[in-house]
Amino acid sequence: MLDDILDYLEHIRERPVWQPIPQDVRALFHQSLPKEPTDLAAVHETFMQDILPFAVGNAHPGFMGWVHGGGTPVGMLAEMLAAGLNANLGGRDQIPIEVERQVLQWVRELFGFPETASGLFVTGTSMANLISVLVARTAALGAGVRHQGIAGSGKRLTAYTSAGAHGCIAQAMDLSGLGIDALRVIPMDARHRMDAAALERAIAADRSVGLTPFFVAGTVGTVDVGAIDDLAVLADIAHGEGLWFHVDGACGALAVLAPDIAPRLEGIERADSIAFDFHKWGQVPYDAGFILVRDGTLHHATFASPAAYLRRETRGMAAGSPWPCDFGPDLSRGFRALKTWFTIKVYGAEKLGRVISGTCELARYMGRRIEETPLLELLAPVSLNIVCFRYRSEEADRVNADIVTALQESGIAAPSTTTIDGRLAIRAAIVNHRTDTSDIDALLRATVAFGEVHAKTAQPRKAP
Ligand SMILES: *Cc1c(COP(=O)(O)O)cnc(C)c1O
């Protein structure tokens, strides 16, 4: 099994990025519960034949869809060790939790947070953003909110983020019971950053009608174009108004590792909380999200609860309090910290930073190649590692959607789509450390080739 998966990673470039799943393969996974055992070798053979070839392909250098990390063999092997140990990191006195605390200490160091800041591995930034909303809610209403509920306070909390923010910020408002309508979506400026003046106006308008503004979420690396909000300005506004300042840095926050990009994140060190993923730019295998909270006491007060079976002691296995389960909703938790610790130890922070810089350099290369190609046009400035462009055509939206499907089905490259100023864009997010200029060239060559084919195919007209 180890040989096969290492071969897969070593020769991944020779494979299609993704391929459509044949019906008979899909049908293999609709069987009833196996009662009898099956030989391990046979199950592994099924994995090789019917699972491995039909994954989404984000380990492949040609994968540029959405924002997915590439993973590494080091992370993979560490995950194997973690699974063998089968550690449960909810609590108790064990070195695996010290490994998680070690990573927390590195994270504090990276973002200039104090020793009293708390943090936790979670599935991903979606969960991390939810935790930040819940802690900010405790800050605004007091820990009594956990008993009385938000309605009990009589206050109506409102939050603020930009139109470029990820949908999971709205989801966090929904799940926390504050409601999606209590999230104010602030327009963006020409550089796709939150419009600071509009933010101030929205806060003032809400206050004037008796609402309670409590939370501002800035973004480092917006999903559409990779824009970075002006965090220093947002920190000034949020703290000037007494609001919680959160940063969604799912992909982008780890750019603090890259000396050429880090200055653009200025202000992140003033955040009250930061959500980010090691599984994107950090190249740690899925999943490895992280939440960092400046006020560890408040974070603890948001989640800790007394339970007789979780009683703490000063000696024995029940020592070592507080435990990770006191800082989030999960009691049973896997050893996500190990693959992250291995990745940072083996590659070192500088090398991880160089990978991040390298993907941005590739994005700029891609931007230049697009500008040199008359059949293509850029739809947004290349700010970070995301390139939005399209094939020029009179029916551009339809043609470019067809091109992206054709690219994905060809196995040559896998970009995704987004909408920029109402226009459908081909979106390439370069996150994978394996991607190089040859992958960019192949994507652009195939885009032009498919564009020529699809621009000629007349759209079948709908009957009136
Ligand atoms: C990916 C992403 C998220 C969601 O993170 P998950 O790890 O997928 O939960 C949130 N915000 C931004 C800006 C993202 O890029």
Side-chain angles (χ1 to χ4, degrees):
M1 288 162 82
L2 206 45
D3 279 344
D4 281 348
I5 200 70
L6 287 168
D7 280 349
Y8 167 78
L9 290 175
E10 190 175 343
H11 300 292
I12 192 157
R13 195 179 277 280
E14 296 151 29
R15 310 178 69 94
V17 181
W18 176 84
Q19 47 187 321
I21 304 164
Q23 265 319 315
D24 56 332
V25 172
R26 206 182 288 276
L28 282 174
F29 300 92
H30 294 270
Q31 298 174 0
S32 54
L33 180 71
K35 295 193 187 67
E36 300 297 322
T38 311
D39 190 46
L40 172 60
V43 178
H44 176 54
E45 189 54 30
T46 303
F47 171 81
M48 292 305 294
Q49 294 298 322
D50 301 315
I51 297 178
L52 176 140
F54 303 107
V56 83
N58 49 300
H60 194 291
F63 185 92
M64 299 174 215
W66 303 274
V67 175
H68 282 28
T72 69
V74 166
M76 179 193 86
L77 293 168
E79 190 75 317
M80 182 185 76
L81 302 184
L85 207 53
N86 197 22
N88 177 351
L89 274 76
R92 287 159 284 276
D93 201 21
Q94 50 172 326
I95 284 295
I97 289 181
E98 291 299 340
V99 174
E100 182 157 347
R101 290 182 183 135
Q102 168 73 87
V103 176
L104 166 61
Q105 190 183 316
W106 292 340
V107 168
R108 285 190 200 110
E109 200 179 308
L110 270 178
F111 294 108
F113 270 46
E115 279 297 304
T116 46
S118 51
L120 196 69
F121 274 97
V122 290
T123 37
T125 292
S126 303
M127 178 57 90
N129 284 336
L130 171 60
I131 289 175
S132 75
V133 167
L134 292 170
V135 182
R137 174 218 56 176
T138 307
L141 300 179
V145 67
R146 296 178 62 194
H147 290 273
Q148 295 138 19
I150 41 174
S153 73
K155 289 186 181 160
R156 295 207 16 232
L157 302 184
T158 50
Y160 307 81
T161 197
S162 95
H166 193 277
C168 65
I169 304 273
Q171 182 188 249
M173 294 294 288
D174 169 11
L175 296 177
S176 61
L178 295 163
I180 294 173
D181 291 350
L183 179 65
R184 308 290 183 242
V185 179
I186 308 300
M188 297 182 286
D189 65 16
R191 291 166 64 191
H192 296 259
R193 304 178 309 176
M194 197 192 307
D195 179 335
L199 170 64
E200 287 184 302
R201 283 195 299 275
I203 294 171
D206 284 335
R207 281 209 205 284
S208 71
V209 295
L211 303 177
T212 306
F214 85 113
F215 183 83
V216 176
T219 305
V220 180
T222 59
V223 270
D224 283 337
V225 303
I228 303 174
D229 279 336
D230 190 332
L231 303 179
V233 165
L234 297 188
D236 284 343
I237 296 173
H239 291 157
E241 295 277 350
L243 313 192
W244 188 273
F245 177 45
H246 174 68
V247 173
D248 176 349
C251 182
L254 283 179
V256 292
L257 291 165
D260 55 332
I261 307 169
R264 295 170 57 195
L265 275 61
E266 199 206 315
I268 198 167
E269 71 290 347
R270 292 166 61 198
D272 293 297
S273 52
I274 303 173
F276 69 97
D277 288 322
F278 282 108
H279 58 224
K280 289 178 172 173
W281 249 348
Q283 312 295 334
V284 172
Y286 283 87
D287 47 36
F290 204 88
I291 178 70
L292 178 68
V293 178
R294 177 177 303 276
D295 184 340
T297 309
L298 198 62
H299 186 184
H300 187 261
T302 302
F303 291 99
S305 59
Y309 48 87
L310 294 176
R311 192 185 146 88
R312 313 302 157 84
E313 305 291 351
T314 51
R315 291 173 49 204
M317 289 169 70
S321 189
W323 292 345
C325 67
D326 302 327
F327 294 93
D330 294 318
L331 177 55
S332 291
R333 307 171 62 249
F335 199 178
R336 295 184 181 103
L338 190 67
K339 58 194 172 185
T340 308
W341 181 82
F342 259 88
T343 301
I344 296 172
K345 289 283 275 187
V346 171
Y347 297 111
E350 286 178 4
K351 192 163 182 176
L352 294 172
R354 279 198 296 278
V355 166
I356 289 169
S357 299
T359 59
C360 294
E361 208 174 295
L362 273 179
R364 291 193 296 274
Y365 167 80
M366 187 170 183
R368 287 195 300 274
R369 288 285 323 269
I370 290 164
E371 285 175 330
E372 288 162 14
T373 310
L375 289 167
L376 302 177
E377 63 177 324
L378 270 180
L379 291 189
V382 178
S383 166
L384 210 56
N385 62 329
I386 294 180
V387 184
C388 292
F389 69 106
R390 69 176 180 176
Y391 183 84
R392 291 182 201 267
S393 160
E394 291 191 351
E395 284 183 274
D397 282 5
R398 184 207 37 104
V399 169
N400 283 281
D402 287 349
I403 291 172
V404 168
T405 308
L407 285 167
Q408 292 173 355
E409 290 181 348
S410 73
I412 297 169
S416 55
T417 60
T418 191
T419 308
I420 305 285
D421 304 325
R423 302 188 293 177
L424 186 124
I426 302 176
R427 174 175 166 285
I430 305 161
V431 187
N432 190 332
H433 59 95
R434 300 181 181 94
T435 305
D436 65 26
T437 51
S438 73
D439 303 296
I440 306 294
D441 293 344
L443 167 61
L444 294 180
R445 239 188 344 262
T447 300
V448 169
F450 286 128
E452 279 168 357
V453 173
H454 287 278
K456 281 187 202 122
T457 324
Q459 172 82 322
R461 300 237 176 255
K462 281 201 190 116

